[in-house]
Amino acid sequence: KVEDEIDISDSNISSNRNEESSNAETLVDAIDLSKLNECQKNVQQLLGSCLDENYSAAAKVIMYRGSDESRIGQDSFNLSNASEANTVKVTCAVISAWLGASKSYEFISYQEEETEFGMQYAVEVLFTQEKLGAKRHFFYFMDTPKGKLLVDML
């Protein structure tokens, strides 16, 4: 009987995860892309890619930040490298957790700032969580030869 109870519990957890994923997919699909600027579209693509576990698509919008100095500020992550693939997967896990805990999200602000490394773009996203209220997260992008790539998120 104890084993049966564990099985039931495990299926409820799985069901809850699937429900959270479905709700998050609905949120991501509901955004009107025509009203977004390039950086907001990149955030939207990243949210959708992470939710779908499409790490290849997610990697394309995340700036490489590794030991190869010639690639920093020039390239995105390469999934064929195990370390880089892990970084993308961890980034997506964080984003998926933000989405999974949220009942809605919206783009709040967009700012551009000149830095010593070039233009930096900040996209503020407000994730509304049922029991915790609203949580703000920032996605920071920089210009690169591959377009505006994510350099940080808070």
Side-chain angles (χ1 to χ4, degrees):
K1 289 186 177 182
V2 171
E3 289 177 8
D4 290 340
E5 289 175 15
I6 291 172
D7 289 343
I8 291 169
S9 174
D10 287 346
S11 69
N12 286 342
I13 291 170
S14 176
S15 173
N16 288 342
R17 284 187 189 138
N18 289 339
E19 186 177 307
E20 283 180 2
S21 177
S22 175
N23 290 342
E25 287 173 10
T26 301
L27 288 177
V28 172
D29 291 341
I31 299 292
D32 183 355
L33 293 177
S34 69
K35 297 180 180 178
L36 303 180
N37 64 39
E38 182 181 359
C39 289
Q40 291 169 327
K41 286 179 182 176
N42 283 355
V43 171
Q44 186 69 15
Q45 176 186 337
L46 187 59
L47 295 176
S49 298
C50 289
L51 193 61
D52 294 340
E53 296 181 359
N54 183 346
Y55 302 119
S56 176
K60 291 178 182 177
V61 295
I62 304 173
M63 183 186 291
Y64 171 80
R65 306 277 291 229
S67 58
D68 184 350
E69 290 186 23
S70 68
R71 290 180 58 204
I72 295 175
Q74 306 296 314
D75 202 2
S76 57
F77 279 106
N78 176 358
L79 282 186
S80 63
N81 177 298
S83 175
E84 293 180 41
N86 187 56
T87 300
V88 171
K89 289 177 182 177
V90 168
T91 301
C92 280
V94 169
I95 290 170
S96 293
W98 292 346
L99 278 168
S102 300
K103 64 177 187 173
S104 66
Y105 72 93
E106 62 182 303
F107 293 96
I108 298 298
S109 68
Y110 172 77
Q111 297 175 1
E112 298 179 358
E113 179 184 352
E114 183 69 42
T115 70
E116 63 182 290
F117 305 106
M119 288 298 292
Q120 176 176 276
Y121 310 91
V123 177
E124 180 182 7
V125 181
L126 186 69
F127 292 86
T128 305
Q129 301 173 344
E130 197 163 320
K131 295 180 182 176
L132 301 173
K135 287 192 128 185
R136 295 180 336 168
H137 292 286
F138 293 87
F139 295 81
Y140 295 93
F141 293 85
M142 299 284 293
D143 282 322
T144 73
K146 290 193 170 187
K148 292 174 176 50
L149 298 180
L150 181 76
V151 293
D152 200 3
M153 50 185 215
L154 304 171

